[in-house]
């Protein structure tokens, strides 16, 4: 807190709860708090609601979860009122949905937009969070609820010379609101994660020329997006409750689950037939609705990886480009699997070129383009599809300080410590929606978000009913949860790979597997059991 504010020259508003963020999580949190009669205020850095879908306006941005699951379940009326146009809706449609939700439930007035939280300090004498924004707001609250997303802290890599670049540059996660027209331009895209893989085919169709700068080739599975017919829409609405119930208890919050079958138990012909059948369906089901051993047994994983490598060879005409695009050296699925629409085929276009940065690394950005170890590639625009400081990044930048003035980022120097991915010791009455140690990013986010917000609000109701004013995990519960999260990850192939799940994409970030990989349904059961046992693992005082 600045001296001026600490001296109390600005009046502090007093509410029961502060919510940070107006995406899927923040909107629902405000909806629930209001229903409970708790006074609240929301702060949102963006100029409107939407969170991820407010910021990620890059060409081709769309959901990787099907529309009928990538949405709220809390209101049957909303489910019936809103009609999705297609299987995987684009950014604009999802943003319209969230705007509709904000309008329908009158949630906007709860938020101050264009307002960035810069400090949240726990006042131990008064058991209150003192929250301060860059815009000068000061609010005191008993509860602090962060709803800042897991992938909202965009990372532009430190490449020398960016400031000298004569063209325009963009980050996919911070895309301008006005139309960006690449027609007639020479464009470079750095990065081939989900954002790169979604945007590259679209930019290639618009730009005069596209150069893709690839550091690590990625596996990708076809999305097979398609419009929904009116019959399909009606059928989905009829069955929506059942679909939702399946999602709630499934491994990744989807209406399908891993088959109780090992890939290794099948003959090569049976395996190929099953892989082909799931490939034809499109979407994550190919990996996460298939064999249970793919992400735990390297031999099974190799079979899946080889299948996709074959698909890449089939799709890409030039053998050398196909070779460069073919991932090797890490198990498939251990970097978040992208879904694509003709990503690999895009490299058959005359106006698209692939540069393999493992062979010819970027040395600098220069006024007219990007200089690699062998050439200068002339560019009018650069797109950074270089990802995010995942899960901990959005929380660390809020300026959160708990007991004894200890900063959250200081506590987490060696990696995040949480109980259930929701709370962290030393920071009483702080609740993180989809924090590190929660399943969140390993599946359908809205499923996770609703479960977390429901758990938090039930907990607040319990605290109110029992007269408790302070909620904090015990040291034992936090340590056990951390060990459990780590142990589960160690039983999979994930820790072998440099990925954002492991914090490996951010220089200096501790190498720790960030989410809980025990499955959404299992996690929900654990949370229910914790609540039923009087919020076991928490100290209520
Ligand atoms: P990402 O998966 O972290 O990918 C970043 C890419 O940039 C990687 O290819 C990375 O290469 C490359 N890169 C980073 N720094 C670089 C550097 N200095 N030089 C060259 N290349 C560099 O980020 P993302 O694609 O934005 O996706 C992040 C996550 O957001 C996804 O995994 C997903 O969970 C979510 N997302 C979801 C959707 C959706 O659901 N529709 C869409 C987009 C994103 P390396 O692999 O070598 O590090």
């Amino acid at each position: 807190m600045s001296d001026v504010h600490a001296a109390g020259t600005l009046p502090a508003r007093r509410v029961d709860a502060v919510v940070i963020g107006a995406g899927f999580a923040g909107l629902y949190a405000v909806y629930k708090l209001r229903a409970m009669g708790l006074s609240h205020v929301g702060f949102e850095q963006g100029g409107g609601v939407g969170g991820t879908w407010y910021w990620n306006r890059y060409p081709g941005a769309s959901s990787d979860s099907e529309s009928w699951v990538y949405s709220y379940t809390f209101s049957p009326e909303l489910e019936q009122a809103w009609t999705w146009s297609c299987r995987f809706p684009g950014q604009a449609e999802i943003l319209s949905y969230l705007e509709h939700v904000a309008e329908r439930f009158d949630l906007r007035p709860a938020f101050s937009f264009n307002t960035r939280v810069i400090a949240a300090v726990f006042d131990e004498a008064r058991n209150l969070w003192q929250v301060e924004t860059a815009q000068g707001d000061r609010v005191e609250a008993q509860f602090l609820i962060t709803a800042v997303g897991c992938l909202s802290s965009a990372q532009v890599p430190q490449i020398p010379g960016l400031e000298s670049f004569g063209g325009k540059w963009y980050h996919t996660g911070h895309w301008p609101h006005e139309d960006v027209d690449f027609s007639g331009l020479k464009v470079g895209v750095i990065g081939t994660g989900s954002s790169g893989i979604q945007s590259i085919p679209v930019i290639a169709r618009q730009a005069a020329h596209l150069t893709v700068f690839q550091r690590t080739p990625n596996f990708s599975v076809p999305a097979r997006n398609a419009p929904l017919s009116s019959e399909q829409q009606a059928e989905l609405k009829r069955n929506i409750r059942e679909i939702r119930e399946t999602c709630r208890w499934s491994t990744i919050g989807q209406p399908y689950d891993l088959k109780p079958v090992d890939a290794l138990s099948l003959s090569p012909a049976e395996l190929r037939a099953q892989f082909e059948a799931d490939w034809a369906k499109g979407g994550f089901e190919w990996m996460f609705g298939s064999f249970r051993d793919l992400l735990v047994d390297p031999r099974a994983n190799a079979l899946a990886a080889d299948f996709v490598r074959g698909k890449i060879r089939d799709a890409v005409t030039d053998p050398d480009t196909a070779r460069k695009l073919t991932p090797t050296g890490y198990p498939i699925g251990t970097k978040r699997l992208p879904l694509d629409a003709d990503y690999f085929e895009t490299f058959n276009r005359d106006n698209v070129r692939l540069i393999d940065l493992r062979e010819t690394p970027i040395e600098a950005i220069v006024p007219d383009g990007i200089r690699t170890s062998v050439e200068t590639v002339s560019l009018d625009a650069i797109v950074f599809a270089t990802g995010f400081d995942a899960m901990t990044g959005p929380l660390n930048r809020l300026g959160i300080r708990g007991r004894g003035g200890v900063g959250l980022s200081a506590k987490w120097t060696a990696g995040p410590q949480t109980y259930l991915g929701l709370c962290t010791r030393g920071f009483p009455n702080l609740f993180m929606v989809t924090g590190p140690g929660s399943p969140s990013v390993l599946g359908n986010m809205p499923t996770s978000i609703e479960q977390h917000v429901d758990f938090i609000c039930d907990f607040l109701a319990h605290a109110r009913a029992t007269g408790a004013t302070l909620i904090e995990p015990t040291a034992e519960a936090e340590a056990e949860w951390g060990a459990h999260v780590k142990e589960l990850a160690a039983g999979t192939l994930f820790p072998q790979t440099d990925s954002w799940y492991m914090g490996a994409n951010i220089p200096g970030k501790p190498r720790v597997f960030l989410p809980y990989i025990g499955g959404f349904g299992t996690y929900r059961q654990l949370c229910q059991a914790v609540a039923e046992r009087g919020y076991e693992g928490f100290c209520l005082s």
Side-chain angles (χ1 to χ4, degrees), residues 272-467:
R272 174 139 207 112
Q274 188 61 55
F275 274 153
E276 288 288 2
D278 287 341
W279 189 262
K281 287 184 198 165
F284 284 135
E285 196 170 343
W286 182 81
M287 183 113 209
F288 301 102
S290 75
F291 308 104
R292 63 185 172 189
D293 53 350
L294 295 186
L295 286 164
V296 292
D297 188 319
R299 295 164 305 159
N301 189 281
L303 296 171
D306 277 346
F307 177 85
V308 179
R309 290 188 191 111
K311 292 290 181 192
I312 298 171
R313 275 194 300 277
D314 293 347
V316 182
T317 317
D318 173 47
D320 193 47
T321 306
R323 176 186 64 79
K324 289 177 179 165
L325 284 167
T326 300
T328 53
Y330 68 94
I332 183 171
T334 55
K335 278 178 183 283
R336 200 293 213 150
L337 193 65
L339 300 187
D340 73 274
D342 291 338
Y343 170 67
F344 293 111
E345 291 78 357
T346 296
F347 292 89
N348 298 333
R349 294 175 65 100
D350 290 340
N351 70 333
V352 176
R353 179 182 172 209
L354 177 69
I355 292 188
D356 182 346
L357 298 179
R358 292 171 309 177
E359 293 173 2
T360 57
I362 293 176
E363 287 186 341
I365 295 177
V366 291
D368 62 342
I370 291 181
R371 194 178 76 223
T372 72
S373 56
V374 292
E375 64 179 317
T376 295
V377 181
S378 170
L379 297 170
D380 303 308
I382 299 174
V383 174
F384 289 96
T386 45
F388 303 88
D389 183 354
M391 301 199 88
T392 49
L395 293 163
N396 281 340
R397 65 183 181 176
L398 295 174
I400 295 176
R401 292 189 175 276
R403 288 189 196 282
V406 174
L408 186 67
S409 50
K411 177 179 172 184
W412 287 359
T413 313
Q417 299 162 56
T418 70
Y419 179 41
L420 300 172
L422 274 163
C423 293
T424 185
R425 186 163 170 78
F427 298 79
N429 294 350
L430 164 67
F431 295 92
M432 298 168 285
V433 183
T434 66
S438 73
S440 54
V441 290
L442 293 175
N444 183 42
M445 286 299 286
T447 308
S448 234
I449 285 167
E450 279 191 331
Q451 185 268 342
H452 261 194
V453 173
D454 288 341
F455 181 91
I456 293 166
C457 290
D458 289 350
F459 201 171
L460 299 189
H462 172 82
R464 211 162 40 162
T466 55

Side-chain angles (χ1 to χ4, degrees), residues 58 62 157 191-195 198 215-216 335-336 385 387-388 500:
Y58 60 85
S62 73
T192 52
S194 294
S195 305
Q198 283 192 338
R215 189 163 69 183
T216 309
K335 278 178 183 283
R336 200 293 213 150
F388 303 88
W500 60 256

